[in-house]
Amino acid sequence: MARAGLLRAQANAKDLREGSRPQEIAAAQARLDAANARLTQLTEGASSEDVTAAQANLAAAQASLQQLYSGPREADRIAAESALANAESARQAAQSAYDRVSWRSDVAMLPESAALQQATNDYIAAQARYDALFSGPDADVVAAARARVQAAQAALDRLLGSATAGQLAEAEAQVRSAQAEVDLLTAGTRDAALLAAAAAVSEAQAAVDVALATLANTELRAPFAGTVTSLDLSPGEMVTPGQSVLTLADLSQLQVETIDLSERDVAQIAVEQSATIYIEALNVEIPGRVARIAAQANIIGGDVVYPVRVVLEEQPVGLRWGMSVEVNFQQEE
C-alpha cells in the first residue's frame, strides 16, 4: 500500500508539472473563438464567416463531449492498477498470517485477525476506486457537455435571426467564460500546488522507506553461507528478542576439538604441530594440524583437560558433524 501511495503522489505531481494538455487548451481556445464569433455575428449580422465560427463552436462542444468517453488518463490508470495490486498483495499476506494462527481459540482477539479485516476493507475500497475510474463519466458531467452542444447548435440555428438584448448578453457572458477558461489553462499550476505535490511525494517516499525498514526487521539474515542443522521454531510461532531460532553451520570446513588432553599431554603440543585423525565411522585416516590450544582448562569428571582444535587438511566424503575421531599428534623432531 505504501508503494501505491507513492505512485499516486508521483502521478499527481507529474500532472501538475505538465499542466494542461495541448488538446484541452486547443478545445478551450476553440470555444473562445466560437464565442467571439457568435458575439460578432449578433452585433454585425450574419455572414459566411459567422456560420463558419458557429460551426467551429459546435464542433468544439461535440469534441468536448466525445472526450468524456476517451477513458482515464494514463497516470490515473497506472495509479489505480498499482493501488489495486498492492491491496491484493497486502490482503494475501494478511490471509497467510491469519491462516498460521487460525487454529487458536482466541484467534478473533489476535492482531492477525484485525490485520486481515483491514486488508480486506482496503482491497474492497481499491477495487471500488478502480471500477469507478473505468465506469465512464458521471451523468451530470455528460449532461453539462450535452447542454453545451445543444447551445452551440442553437447558436448556429439563430444565425439568420435578429439578435435580442438577451442574446447579446448571453453571447458576451459566453465570451467572458471562454476567455477565463483559456486563461486558467494557460496560466500553469500555482507554486503552492506544486510545493504541496512535491511534499506529498516526499511523504509517500518516506512511508515506503519506513515500510521497507519494517519489512527488513522481520527478516533474519545469516552472517555466512551455511547449512541449517536445527530449527527451534514452528510455523506461526512468535519470536522474542534473544531467542534462539536456528543453528547454522559451515559444514564445508569441519574441525576437530579434543576433550581429554590432560595438562601433561597438552604441554607436549604446539600450534601448527602435525596430527593424524582417524575417523572410525568412515575407517579413514586424514592429516591435520593444530590450530588452537585453549588457554584455560575445563573440568570434566574431576579431571583437568585442555581443549585443542585441529584443522583437517582434507575432508573425506561422508564426514558429519559430531562423529567421533581419534587424534594422534606427531612429535616434532
Side-chain angles (χ1 to χ4, degrees):
M1 291 191 295
R3 289 191 184 278
L6 176 60
L7 289 174
R8 286 194 298 271
Q10 290 175 333
N12 181 57
K14 181 175 181 292
D15 280 346
L16 290 177
R17 287 194 302 270
E18 291 179 352
S20 302
R21 290 180 290 183
Q23 297 87 341
E24 294 173 328
I25 297 176
Q29 185 64 53
R31 287 190 289 272
L32 175 60
D33 294 342
N36 276 315
R38 180 168 182 266
L39 179 61
T40 301
Q41 182 268 326
L42 290 175
T43 56
E44 297 180 358
S47 66
S48 60
E49 291 80 9
D50 297 331
V51 174
T52 301
Q55 290 172 337
N57 185 34
L58 177 60
Q62 290 172 335
S64 296
L65 177 61
Q66 182 62 35
Q67 189 176 22
L68 294 176
Y69 296 95
S70 63
R73 293 185 179 185
E74 183 67 9
D76 295 335
R77 182 187 65 79
I78 293 174
E81 290 177 348
S82 298
L84 183 59
N86 279 277
E88 173 61 12
S89 297
R91 186 180 66 83
Q92 292 176 356
Q95 184 68 58
S96 298
Y98 177 87
D99 291 342
R100 288 196 293 269
V101 297
S102 60
W103 56 270
R104 295 179 54 168
S105 59
D106 61 340
V107 64
M109 304 299 294
L110 295 179
E112 286 83 355
S113 179
L116 176 58
Q117 183 62 51
Q118 181 62 49
T120 301
N121 293 340
D122 292 342
Y123 173 75
I124 293 173
Q127 183 68 62
R129 289 191 294 270
Y130 180 86
D131 293 341
L133 186 63
F134 294 92
S135 62
D138 295 337
D140 55 344
V141 176
V142 174
R146 291 187 185 277
R148 287 193 292 271
V149 172
Q150 292 171 356
Q153 184 66 60
L156 181 61
D157 294 340
R158 289 194 300 268
L159 273 176
L160 299 179
S162 300
T164 65
Q167 291 174 329
L168 288 174
E170 178 187 1
E172 290 171 350
Q174 287 181 346
V175 170
R176 291 194 298 271
S177 176
Q179 183 64 62
E181 184 179 5
V182 171
D183 293 343
L184 180 63
L185 291 176
T186 56
T189 306
R190 290 177 295 179
D191 292 341
L194 289 174
L195 290 175
V201 172
S202 298
E203 182 179 352
Q205 182 62 62
V208 171
D209 295 340
V210 170
L212 291 176
T214 302
L215 178 62
N217 289 334
T218 65
E219 299 177 349
L220 292 178
R221 295 183 179 274
F224 59 88
T227 301
V228 176
T229 59
S230 68
L231 185 63
D232 303 330
L233 294 176
S234 301
E237 185 176 349
M238 298 296 292
V239 181
T240 58
Q243 179 180 349
S244 175
V245 176
L246 55 84
T247 300
L248 184 69
D250 182 2
L251 301 180
S252 64
Q253 296 180 344
L254 292 176
Q255 298 177 350
V256 173
E257 187 168 275
T258 66
I259 59 173
D260 57 356
L261 287 177
S262 68
E263 51 191 324
R264 289 191 300 270
D265 295 332
V266 79
Q268 308 300 318
I269 299 172
V271 175
E272 297 297 332
Q273 184 173 337
S274 299
T276 301
I277 298 93
Y278 175 68
I279 306 171
E280 182 177 359
L282 303 180
N283 193 27
V284 296
E285 191 174 80
I286 57 176
R289 58 181 176 80
V290 177
R292 180 180 178 274
I293 302 173
Q296 183 176 353
N298 292 337
I299 305 299
I300 300 179
D303 295 330
V304 177
V305 296
Y306 286 83
V308 173
R309 187 172 300 170
V310 179
V311 176
L312 305 181
E313 298 292 346
E314 60 185 66
Q315 186 164 314
V317 177
L319 182 62
R320 295 181 179 276
W321 186 3
M323 284 185 172
S324 299
V325 300
E326 293 180 3
V327 181
N328 292 314
F329 296 97
Q330 306 297 327
Q331 297 300 322
E332 299 294 338
E333 298 182 357

